[in-house]
Amino acid sequence: MTKKIIFFGIWLIFLTYGFFFSPADDPETLNLIINLSSGKVEGINPLIVSLFNLMGILPMLYATMLIIDGKGQKINSAPFVVASFFVGAFALLPYFALRESQDNFTGEKTKLIKFLDSRFLAIILSIGAIILLFFGLTNGNFSDFIYQWQNSKFINIMSLDFFCLCLLFPIIIKDDLALRSQENQHNWLWWISFIPLLGALVYLCARPPLKAGYFQSQDQN
């Protein structure tokens, strides 16, 4: 119950901040989103370009764990994961509040789960994230970014959303290790996950594969 209160509390704080305390809307926000979405990034601060695209990769990183996690929950994780591609942590925090910790999984190891669990996908996502980080940090204008963070609701909330998603990783990673019956043998992976974003990338590339024994057909139970 304490966990539920904490996550719902954080969610309500974010909602309250987003609606009432974040900077005012920038009239150019819609055009900025359209240009970023369509790849028309000329003249846009590379830090913002990088951040916007990382906010597409981060939900995919969560999907590689939460779709599997949701198979053992009373609630379906898929709607929350899909919504996170649009509103980030605002969608995932309610799921974290409603889900229960679990240490084993019974279900079918579908093609989707095999894909999400694959090291190939983890490596591709890691390469994409590292390229975006390098691009933004080496080419970005930090003074301009700070100014826009202070004056644009979109940039302000997107930045806070990014850090929130980075900081939530250790919570789900601990249970993801338990599903693989590796919470003790690979405890170092959990500690590494506390490094924002990079720790999650290391975890996804190094985590042990799901053991077939956990994925028994529902008809056999």
Side-chain angles (χ1 to χ4, degrees):
M1 180 59 70
T2 302
K3 182 199 73 172
K4 296 181 186 298
I5 294 173
I6 291 173
F7 282 120
F8 274 127
I10 295 172
W11 183 58
L12 289 173
I13 289 171
F14 266 86
L15 287 175
T16 302
Y17 174 82
F19 281 108
F20 300 109
F21 298 103
S22 59
D25 283 317
D26 187 331
E28 294 299 317
T29 292
L30 181 58
N31 288 333
L32 176 62
I33 294 174
I34 292 173
N35 289 334
L36 287 168
S37 302
S38 60
K40 298 177 181 178
V41 298
E42 185 177 356
I44 300 176
N45 189 338
L47 277 171
I48 295 174
V49 176
S50 176
L51 178 62
F52 181 83
N53 285 281
L54 282 170
M55 290 304 295
I57 288 181
L58 276 168
M60 193 64 205
L61 297 181
Y62 274 97
T64 65
M65 295 180 286
L66 294 184
I67 295 297
I68 296 169
D69 177 77
K71 295 296 182 181
Q73 303 291 336
K74 294 180 180 179
I75 56 172
N76 187 351
S77 62
F80 297 92
V81 171
V82 172
S84 71
F85 282 90
F86 301 95
V87 293
F90 290 97
L92 294 182
L93 283 167
Y95 178 73
F96 282 125
L98 295 171
R99 67 178 293 277
E100 300 291 340
S101 294
Q102 56 181 332
D103 57 10
N104 81 52
F105 178 87
T106 301
E108 183 183 358
K109 194 170 183 180
T110 62
K111 291 181 179 179
L112 174 60
I113 289 178
K114 290 179 180 178
F115 174 68
L116 293 173
D117 191 48
S118 69
R119 190 151 293 164
F120 170 78
L121 176 60
I123 291 173
I124 293 298
L125 292 173
S126 297
I127 292 173
I130 291 170
I131 289 174
L132 287 169
L133 280 173
F134 182 80
F135 170 73
L137 293 175
T138 57
N139 296 281
N141 184 326
F142 287 87
S143 296
D144 173 72
F145 182 83
I146 292 173
Y147 174 82
Q148 295 203 51
W149 186 84
Q150 294 173 331
N151 293 277
S152 168
K153 181 185 289 289
F154 173 64
I155 303 300
N156 185 279
I157 293 178
M158 181 169 61
S159 302
L160 295 177
D161 196 9
F162 171 82
F163 285 110
C164 183
L165 288 176
C166 288
L167 295 175
L168 286 173
F169 271 116
I171 297 166
I172 190 63
I173 283 176
K174 196 169 184 67
D175 279 358
D176 191 63
L177 275 174
L179 285 179
R180 299 160 196 278
S181 192
Q182 300 289 330
E183 64 273 29
N184 295 320
Q185 296 92 323
H186 290 76
N187 200 40
W188 63 274
L189 284 175
W190 183 64
W191 287 108
I192 284 179
S193 72
F194 281 91
I195 302 173
L197 183 57
L198 295 177
L201 299 177
V202 171
Y203 173 77
L204 290 178
C205 291
R207 68 179 177 176
L210 285 163
K211 294 183 178 180
Y214 284 104
F215 291 85
Q216 303 167 2
S217 170
Q218 297 285 359
D219 297 333
Q220 295 176 0
N221 296 327

